[in-house]
Amino acid sequence: MNAPLKPSASLRQRLRLQLLGLIAILSLLLYFSVRTIAGGAAETTQDNILSASATSIIEALHAEQDDILLDIPYAALSMLGANSEERVFYRIMTKASTITGYDDLPAPETFPAPEQPVFYNSEYRGSAVRIVAMTRVITVRDTPTEVLALVAQTRLGQDAITARIANTAAALGVGFFLIAGILGALTVESALRPIVNIAQAVQRRGPHDLRPMLKPAPLELAPLLASLNSFMERLRTALLRTEDFIAEAAHRVRTPLATVRAQTEIALRRAKTPEDREALRAVIRAVDESARSAGQLLDHASVTLRADKMERGDVDLSALVKDLVHGLAPTAEIRDIRIILHPAEGEFTTIGDPVLLMGALRNILDNAIKYSPDESEISVVLSAEEELCCITICDSGRGLNDAEQKTLTRRFGRGSNVADVVGSGLGLTIVSEVVAAHGGSFRLTPNKERGTCAKVCLPRK
Ligand SMILES: Nc1ncnc2c1ncn2[C@@H]1O[C@H](COP(=O)(O)OP(=O)(O)O)[C@@H](O)[C@H]1O
Ligand SMILES: [Mg+2]
C-alpha cells in the first residue's frame, strides 16, 4: 500500500485566509475614510455657517464717538439656530475688555489677522462648542482698534451627524466585507477548479492506466502536467521492458527444461531400481511444474504487453471453448477426469483478443483439472445473459475458502487448499487481468454440492 501523502497547508485555506485578511483591511480603510471625509465635510459646513454668522456680526459693528456699538442682525444668530437644541454664544471684545456678550467665552491667546478667521473646539458651560474667532479693525477717534468677534455653537448636531456617519460607514464596511468575501470565495473556487479537475482525472484512473493526460490545463499547470506525462511515459516504458525481460527469460528457461525432461525420460526407461525410477519421476514432475510456471510467467507478461495494444476482433467463443476443451482433454484423461462441454444454442461472439481470451480460459480449466479428484467430471457451459455471454466451468474438487477469494487473484497468490498441488499463483491473475481488459467480469463461487464454479462473462457483440 502507498503511504498516505501528508498534505502541507491547504492551498484553498491559504488563499481564503489571505483574501479575507485583505478584504478586512479594505473594509476598515473604507470605514475610516468614509468617517473622516464625511465628518470633515460636516464640520466644514458648520464652520461656514459660523463664519457667515461672525462676518455679519462683525460687519454690523460701528464706532460712535468713543464707543463701539453693535446692533446684532437677526439673521446672524438665526442661521445658527436651525437645530432647536443647539445653543449659540457670542462675545465681542477688544484687547482691553469685552464689549458685549458672554465675557467668559474662551478666546484665542492672540487675535487672528483680519480676514483670517480661526476655528477651534472648546468646552463652555458644560458643553462641547465649536468657536470661530474673527478680527476687524475699527477706527475710534482716529485710532485703529482691533475688535474680536467670537461666535460659538454647541456641537450637539455635529455629534449627531458624526454618529450617523459612523453608523453608515460601519454598515458600508460590513456590507463590503460580506460581498467581497463571497466574491473572494467564488474566485478561490474558480481559480482552484483546474487543479481539482486534474486531481480528479488522475484519481479516476485505474492503477494500470499510464496513458498521457490530454486534458487542457492552464498555463501555470502545464509544466506539472508535462512532467507527470513524461513520468508516466517513462514508467510505462520501464514496465514494458520488465515484462519483456520476464517473457524472454521464461522463454529461455523453457527450452533447456524441455531437454532436461526428454533426457530424464530416457534415463527413466533405463533405470533399474525402483528407487532410481521414483527419483527420476520426481525430477520430471519438478521439471513439468517449472515449465508450467515459466509458461504462466510468459502468459502473464504477454497479457500485460498485449493488453496495452490489444488486438480487437470478433471472437467466436463457442469455437474457442471447443478448442480449449480439446487441448486439455489429454491432461484430464491421465487422471480419468471427464470434461463435458454442454451444447449451446446461438451465437456467442465477443470482441477481443483471441490469444488472451484463450490464455485466460485455459488457466481456469487447468485449475479445475488440478484441483479435482481423479475420476471426476468437469462441466463447461456457454450461456447468454442479456448483453453478456458467459462461460461457466464447474468442478467437483476441493472447493475454496471464501475468505481468501480476494487474495487469489493477486500475483503469486495461492489458497490454503492447495496441499500437494503445485502451482505458481499466477493463473487467476492472468484471468482477472484479461477479463478486465475486455470489460468483462470474473467470479468464483462454490459448486452445488462439492467443488468450485468459475464464471467469466464478456460483453456480447
Ligand atoms: N477450481 C478450483 N478449485 C479450488 N481452488 C481453486 C480453484 N481455482 C483456483 N483455486 C485456488 O486459487 C488459487 C490461485 O489460483 P491460481 O492463480 O491459478 O494459482 P495456482 O498456480 O495455485 O493454480 C489456487 O492456489 C487455489 O487455492
Ligand atoms: Mg492455476
Side-chain angles (χ1 to χ4, degrees), residues 367 370-371 395 399-400 408 413-415 417-418 423-425 427-428 452:
N367 279 348
K370 268 198 339 188
Y371 299 107
D395 60 58
L400 34 81
L408 299 183
R414 304 199 69 206
N417 60 350
V418 293
S424 62
L428 296 188
T452 310

Side-chain angles (χ1 to χ4, degrees), residues 92-405:
I92 312 297
M93 61 188 286
T94 60
K95 283 194 173 135
S97 63
T98 298
I99 301 169
T100 176
Y102 299 80
D103 54 8
D104 54 349
L105 194 63
E109 293 195 344
T110 51
F111 282 22
E115 314 294 328
Q116 281 175 8
V118 171
F119 300 90
Y120 52 97
N121 296 330
S122 185
E123 273 283 318
Y124 186 61
R125 300 199 171 179
S127 303
V129 287
R130 179 82 176 158
I131 306 175
V132 60
M134 205 178 264
T135 308
R136 184 178 161 200
V137 180
I138 294 178
T139 312
V140 182
R141 281 192 191 270
D142 300 332
T143 324
T145 311
E146 279 184 310
V147 181
L148 183 71
L150 300 178
V151 179
Q153 186 185 28
T154 48
R155 294 171 52 93
L156 292 175
Q158 181 67 27
D159 288 347
I161 290 173
T162 313
R164 238 187 355 256
I165 289 171
N167 284 345
T168 312
L172 262 177
V174 171
F176 174 79
F177 182 81
L178 288 180
I179 292 172
I182 292 170
L183 289 180
L186 291 178
T187 309
V188 169
E189 286 312 310
S190 94
L192 290 180
R193 192 160 309 129
I195 301 183
V196 174
N197 284 350
I198 288 175
Q200 282 174 346
V202 172
Q203 224 164 26
R204 269 198 303 271
R205 292 180 156 221
H208 300 295
D209 191 349
L210 294 176
R211 285 171 304 146
M213 297 266 301
L214 298 175
K215 256 182 177 307
L219 203 63
E220 291 76 7
L221 287 180
L224 178 71
L225 218 58
S227 334
L228 188 68
N229 282 344
S230 106
F231 173 71
M232 288 202 293
E233 183 52 40
R234 269 179 291 153
L235 190 63
R236 208 160 79 115
T237 318
L239 271 180
L240 289 183
R241 212 177 289 146
T242 315
E243 299 295 348
D244 220 13
F245 174 78
I246 293 173
E248 179 67 23
H251 181 68
R252 280 174 190 257
V253 166
R254 278 211 295 191
T255 323
L257 279 179
T259 317
V260 173
R261 194 185 197 285
Q263 295 296 328
T264 317
E265 269 180 7
I266 294 170
L268 180 65
R269 258 178 258 135
R270 292 192 194 138
K272 304 242 161 32
T273 64
E275 289 82 19
D276 284 352
R277 274 199 288 277
E278 190 43 46
L280 288 171
R281 271 197 207 98
V283 172
I284 290 177
R285 273 202 300 276
V287 166
D288 277 351
E289 195 42 50
S290 303
R292 187 136 131 191
S293 294
Q296 279 188 319
L297 276 172
L298 192 69
D299 274 355
H300 183 254
S302 64
V303 167
T304 318
L305 283 171
R306 290 178 72 111
D308 221 31
K309 33 186 187 301
M310 203 170 77
E311 269 176 35
R312 286 186 182 273
D314 288 5
V315 182
D316 177 2
L317 286 176
S318 54
L320 193 101
V321 169
K322 225 175 265 170
D323 286 352
L324 170 74
V325 171
H326 188 72
L328 280 178
T331 318
E333 271 161 21
I334 293 176
R335 291 177 47 216
D336 290 323
I337 295 171
R338 230 156 59 87
I339 305 176
I340 304 165
L341 175 56
H342 292 267
E345 290 286 312
E347 276 207 26
F348 299 92
T349 314
T350 187
I351 295 180
D353 187 323
V355 178
L356 291 183
L357 288 173
M358 182 61 138
L361 294 176
R362 192 188 313 115
N363 272 295
I364 297 178
L365 190 54
D366 182 58
N367 279 348
I369 298 169
K370 268 198 339 188
Y371 299 107
S372 282
D374 293 356
E375 296 173 32
S376 62
E377 282 183 357
I378 294 171
S379 74
V380 180
V381 178
L382 255 172
S383 59
E385 293 179 12
E386 289 171 20
E387 295 305 300
L388 302 171
C389 30
C390 303
I391 300 129
T392 313
I393 299 179
C394 293
D395 60 58
S396 45
R398 58 189 76 179
L400 34 81
N401 188 344
D402 266 353
E404 292 177 343
Q405 281 254 6

